[in-house]
Amino acid sequence: MMSNPKRLHPAAVIFNIIQSLKQSIIGLLPIAIVIIRNSNTFYLIIGLLVIIGLIILFSFLSWLRFTYQLEEEQLRIERGILIRKKRTISKHRIQSIDLSQNVIHRIFGLTKVAIETAGNDSSTDAALSAVRMEDGRMLHDELKYKKHVPETGELETEVSDNEQQDEAHLPKRTITIQALLITGSTSASFGILIGLFGVAFSQVETLIPDQFYDDATRWLLSLGMQIIIILAIIVLIFLWLLSILYTVIKDWNFTITRYEKELFITRGLLEKKQTTIPLKRIQAVGMKESPIHQLFGFARPYVEIASGEINSSQEVNTIIFPLLRKKEFAAFLSEFLPEYSYRTENLIHPPKKALPYYLWRSINLPLLAVIITGIFFVSYIWIPAIIMLVLGIMGFAVFKSIGYAIDEQQITIQTRTISKDTAIIPHRRIQALQQKQHLLHRKQSLATLDMAILNKGAGRHFVIKELRTADSYSIADWYSYREKV
């Protein structure tokens, strides 16, 4: 048991510097571009040296003034250079303790300890950016494990739910290399990389001398359209391969294990992460199918978790396995989350008279563009017309996907924007249900239902539009009058 205050490993200074530099670059980049364009490079260098010096100084002082102390039932943290902040985290409020290692951690034999507590107050969470691996594991064991109440004559010991189970008989699954490559080749990170590439090029473009930029543009145009198309395809292939590499590094050896009261996930090649998901915090279970995943019969299972605030590095829902065959999802649930059952054969869909609403929501803006283009630029009317046709097909796909199914303990809701999303929500996890009707809905006996559950941040809403009024009443009765368990 740790009794005296301890500092983080000195490598925490490096992490503080890196974090401060990342935040400073975003704010200072526009100023630096202006200074370079005005040929004031000397002042830029002086300013950068001053800023870097201040960052190093404040990072060192932050590390020097940061201490943590583990006591009987709580973790105490003190930090702050001029204004001291003291934070006490009770052991009983801790929901999860996750360990992760990036390249720098692994070089020094360190780990990052991220502690998440119940509630939406981010000030009750804590992160120890660099501690020795043995200290990290000791913190995990002391704060996460439950006390075993001794019988007469026994010594009091600390044991975890995980230790009480035979590891060999626990449900466990590790992703294969083939599935990981498919995940990377079909993931959304490809589109994100294209966007980042475009943003980076737009920033670098301002630094390119005008003469060089004009010469390069003339040379590129002189190559001919076929060569330009080939070069564009090569760039896209390179970004696609880069997205595959990113996914392989991020989800390498992705392994999920089911313990009595929690799911335990490990993953990562360069940065190794361990994530613990207590079962009592899971609000819903589901799977997402992007159009390309749906085409080849794949899905990504996820869980909705009630926890603290969302930051930029967190997802609204947590993927619990990178990729599955859709036909394996029911077996996956029975193995790792048997509290939930997957049944979509009896889905109740909106009636046919709801179809015009779905189509109208999809094509109203393109239809306006078609009308304006037809009046002023009739020769280009085919462009918004094709867009309207594509969005109309997507609206029809949304209409065909929407549905729900109820059993005694849970409701299954299937929705779609671009990807199809199937969520399984236990009755006791639904926080609120609202029925909405406007004038046309009332005349056509249609209604829209909005169900809310807790998750990271403000919660998540599941909306089923243009149901039959009778179906909406059935769901409301199931929610309102059944005794919660």
Side-chain angles (χ1 to χ4, degrees):
M1 177 71 70
M2 191 184 304
S3 57
N4 297 321
K6 295 190 66 174
R7 288 194 177 94
L8 301 176
H9 189 275
V13 177
I14 300 175
F15 295 112
N16 289 339
I17 292 172
I18 292 173
Q19 183 65 26
S20 299
L21 286 174
K22 285 168 60 178
Q23 295 174 351
S24 301
I25 287 173
I26 296 174
L28 295 175
L29 185 60
I31 299 175
I33 291 172
V34 172
I35 294 175
I36 291 175
R37 290 180 69 89
N38 292 329
S39 300
N40 293 324
T41 310
F42 173 77
Y43 295 105
L44 175 64
I45 294 174
I46 296 298
L48 287 177
L49 291 176
V50 171
I51 291 173
I52 292 173
L54 289 174
I55 287 174
I56 294 174
L57 176 62
F58 277 98
S59 298
F60 174 76
L61 293 177
S62 296
W63 167 79
L64 190 66
R65 299 284 285 167
F66 186 107
T67 61
Y68 66 97
Q69 181 178 6
L70 181 62
E71 296 185 344
E72 180 67 22
E73 296 290 332
Q74 59 192 12
L75 176 69
R76 292 188 177 182
I77 295 175
E78 293 189 21
R79 60 184 302 175
I81 299 174
L82 299 177
I83 300 175
R84 298 292 288 168
K85 297 180 181 179
K86 298 182 180 181
R87 181 183 304 174
T88 301
I89 302 176
S90 171
K91 175 177 180 176
H92 306 290
R93 292 200 63 201
I94 293 175
Q95 297 291 329
S96 66
I97 303 175
D98 299 330
L99 306 181
S100 62
Q101 291 179 291
N102 60 26
V103 176
I104 299 176
H105 284 126
R106 294 169 69 181
I107 291 174
F108 292 103
L110 307 174
T111 185
K112 176 182 178 181
V113 182
I115 299 172
E116 190 171 0
T117 61
N120 294 327
D121 185 2
S122 60
S123 65
T124 60
D125 297 344
L128 307 180
S129 59
V131 298
R132 293 185 305 165
M133 178 58 74
E134 53 267 33
D135 288 340
R137 287 174 177 160
M138 186 271 294
L139 283 168
H140 179 277
D141 295 349
E142 294 290 346
L143 294 173
K144 186 71 171 66
Y145 293 174
K146 312 301 180 189
K147 279 193 174 181
H148 171 66
V149 180
E151 297 179 1
T152 305
E154 280 187 329
L155 293 176
E156 185 178 276
T157 59
E158 295 269 346
V159 297
S160 72
D161 297 325
N162 300 354
E163 290 180 326
Q164 294 172 355
Q165 294 176 265
D166 185 357
E167 292 278 347
H169 296 89
L170 293 173
K172 187 175 184 178
R173 182 178 295 203
T174 301
I175 193 169
T176 63
I177 297 295
Q178 181 184 6
L180 198 54
L181 292 174
I182 294 173
T183 303
S185 60
T186 58
S187 69
S189 58
F190 174 55
I192 295 172
L193 283 176
I194 292 177
L196 292 175
F197 178 79
V199 171
F201 179 78
S202 66
Q203 295 296 325
V204 173
E205 184 183 8
T206 60
L207 302 177
I208 300 175
D210 292 339
Q211 184 63 39
F212 178 82
Y213 184 84
D214 293 339
D215 292 342
T217 303
R218 281 193 295 268
W219 172 79
L220 187 62
L221 293 175
S222 67
L223 295 176
M225 186 58 65
Q226 292 180 341
I227 301 297
I228 293 175
I229 292 174
I230 291 173
L231 290 175
I233 292 174
I234 291 173
V235 171
L236 290 176
I237 291 175
F238 172 75
L239 293 176
W240 178 62
L241 293 175
L242 201 62
S243 72
I244 296 175
L245 179 62
Y246 169 76
T247 301
V248 170
I249 292 174
K250 179 173 67 75
D251 289 334
W252 179 262
N253 201 36
F254 191 109
T255 302
I256 180 173
T257 307
R258 161 70 189 248
Y259 292 98
E260 181 182 356
K261 295 182 180 180
E262 61 193 19
L263 297 175
F264 184 68
I265 295 173
T266 59
R267 63 185 173 98
L269 181 60
L270 297 180
E271 182 177 5
K272 293 188 175 181
K273 291 186 177 182
Q274 300 178 1
T275 304
T276 303
I277 304 175
L279 299 180
K280 64 182 180 180
R281 290 172 54 207
I282 296 177
Q283 306 298 301
V285 176
M287 66 173 178
K288 287 194 173 183
E289 304 166 74
S290 67
I292 191 168
H293 284 160
Q294 193 174 358
L295 181 64
F296 294 103
F298 292 108
R300 304 189 75 188
Y302 69 87
V303 292
E304 294 281 354
I305 301 173
S307 66
E309 295 182 347
I310 299 175
N311 58 43
S312 58
S313 64
Q314 290 178 309
E315 298 178 346
V316 173
N317 45 54
T318 300
I319 299 296
I320 55 174
F321 207 73
L323 201 65
L324 282 177
R325 289 281 183 185
K326 183 179 178 180
K327 61 184 180 182
E328 297 176 356
F329 182 63
F332 180 86
L333 282 186
S334 65
E335 182 180 9
F336 292 97
L337 292 165
E339 302 86 354
Y340 300 81
S341 59
Y342 172 65
R343 298 186 188 93
T344 57
E345 60 273 8
N346 296 319
L347 277 181
I348 298 173
H349 297 278
K352 291 182 180 179
K353 59 185 174 182
L355 177 59
Y357 292 97
Y358 286 87
L359 294 179
W360 172 249
R361 281 192 291 267
S362 300
I363 69 171
N364 52 18
L365 291 179
L367 179 59
L368 180 61
V370 167
I371 294 172
I372 295 174
T373 306
I375 295 173
F376 298 102
F377 311 99
V378 67
S379 59
Y380 296 100
I381 195 172
W382 59 273
I383 298 176
I386 291 176
I387 295 174
M388 185 177 71
L389 177 62
V390 172
L391 293 179
I393 293 172
M394 290 177 60
F396 181 77
V398 171
F399 169 75
K400 296 295 290 184
S401 300
I402 294 288
Y404 77 93
I406 292 177
D407 65 23
E408 191 173 339
Q409 299 287 339
Q410 65 184 29
I411 182 170
T412 301
I413 298 175
Q414 189 169 278
T415 58
R416 178 192 286 276
T417 47
I418 296 175
S419 298
K420 185 196 289 187
D421 188 350
T422 305
I424 305 167
I425 312 169
H427 180 276
R428 67 183 184 277
R429 298 302 190 188
I430 300 175
Q431 301 297 312
L433 185 146
Q434 182 180 13
Q435 184 189 61
K436 303 174 184 177
Q437 281 184 306
H438 54 63
L439 181 61
L440 288 178
H441 279 170
R442 287 196 292 271
K443 288 186 176 182
Q444 294 180 288
S445 298
L446 298 175
T448 294
L449 276 186
D450 184 345
M451 277 172 279
I453 63 170
L454 293 175
N455 78 339
K456 294 179 180 178
R460 182 182 173 186
H461 292 257
F462 296 87
V463 180
I464 313 176
K465 296 182 177 181
E466 282 83 40
L467 279 176
R468 296 179 184 87
T469 303
D471 292 336
S472 70
Y473 286 152
S474 297
I475 298 175
D477 291 343
W478 171 83
Y479 171 71
S480 300
Y481 300 117
R482 184 182 175 278
E483 183 178 346
K484 291 188 178 182
V485 292

